[in-house]
Amino acid sequence: IDEIVKDVVPIIDRGTNFFFFGATPGTGKTYSAFIILNHYIYKTCTTNRFDFENPLGMYIVHADLMDDLRYRRDLDEVQNTLKMVNKVPLLIVDDLGSGSSSVFSRDQTYLIMNNRINNGLSTIYTSNLTTSKLKQPDVLGARNVSRLVSFAIGIEFVGRDRRLATVRGKENER
């Protein structure tokens, strides 16, 4: 992550995508995505590119967005979120493949991924699933995974779930 952070603005401006994956939750995938996002905003906000009406980055949970698009698509709030998803320079899509999958969610994921790739917009995807599991037709499917890994820097996160160490009243398991 250090090398990415050091040169984050040109990396994001090139439309580089990231895929942070690992079977164990709590290993730092989302945390690392936010490190990149925060450094990108920090290094860009001191330039003339910073604009309060046009955010530089955005965070969404994949399952929440799919739920909103399926059941609340006509709400102004959801339409505004979708517009931002399709134009923000750096987007974090957290927990890709979580929640229930359907033809609808696969199609919506395709539309978002394809739009961002075609427009050279960077996306950081996090998932507790490997590409082979995500490729399954009942998850994301091969078409979406192909887009997911194209022009992407993939990093596997391994280790123990750090969240377990924060549980109050429990002995930390090693």
Side-chain angles (χ1 to χ4, degrees), residues 113-138:
M113 287 179 166
N114 200 51
N115 174 72
R116 294 191 61 77
I117 289 169
N118 288 342
N119 289 297
L121 300 170
S122 290
T123 310
I124 303 172
Y125 300 97
T126 71
S127 182
N128 289 331
L129 304 176
T130 63
T131 54
S132 60
K133 288 184 181 176
L134 288 169
K135 277 183 185 178
Q136 295 175 359
D138 60 335

Side-chain angles (χ1 to χ4, degrees), residues 35-173:
I35 287 173
I36 294 171
L37 176 62
N38 286 335
H39 279 270
Y40 177 69
I41 291 170
Y42 174 74
K43 290 179 179 181
T44 308
C45 75
T46 58
T47 69
N48 63 353
R49 294 169 59 183
F50 186 74
D51 177 0
F52 283 102
E53 274 92 45
N54 297 298
L56 297 167
M58 181 179 185
Y59 168 84
I60 60 165
V61 175
H62 184 254
D64 291 343
L65 179 62
M66 293 303 112
D67 189 57
D68 282 346
L69 291 175
R70 178 186 297 273
Y71 299 110
R72 292 173 282 286
R73 185 177 204 100
D74 293 333
L75 296 177
D76 288 343
E77 177 184 337
V78 174
Q79 284 300 308
N80 289 336
T81 297
L82 189 57
K83 285 177 189 172
M84 295 305 301
V85 161
N86 284 315
K87 74 175 191 174
V88 71
L90 180 56
L91 174 68
I92 298 172
V93 178
D94 199 19
D95 282 334
L96 193 62
S98 66
S100 60
S101 188
S102 65
V103 172
F104 176 84
S105 64
R106 284 189 299 280
D107 288 348
Q108 293 302 305
T109 301
Y110 169 83
L111 291 171
I112 290 167
M113 287 179 166
N114 200 51
N115 174 72
R116 294 191 61 77
I117 289 169
N118 288 342
N119 289 297
L121 300 170
S122 290
T123 310
I124 303 172
Y125 300 97
T126 71
S127 182
N128 289 331
L129 304 176
T130 63
T131 54
S132 60
K133 288 184 181 176
L134 288 169
K135 277 183 185 178
Q136 295 175 359
D138 60 335
V139 185
L140 285 183
R143 178 175 69 163
N144 284 336
V145 174
S146 175
R147 279 169 180 72
L148 171 67
V149 298
S150 66
F151 307 108
I153 296 171
I155 301 174
E156 183 175 12
F157 286 70
V158 296
R160 61 181 170 77
D161 185 341
R162 292 183 186 100
R163 291 185 201 121
L164 293 178
T166 64
V167 177
R168 295 180 185 173
K170 291 272 197 175
E171 287 295 318
N172 292 339
E173 293 183 24

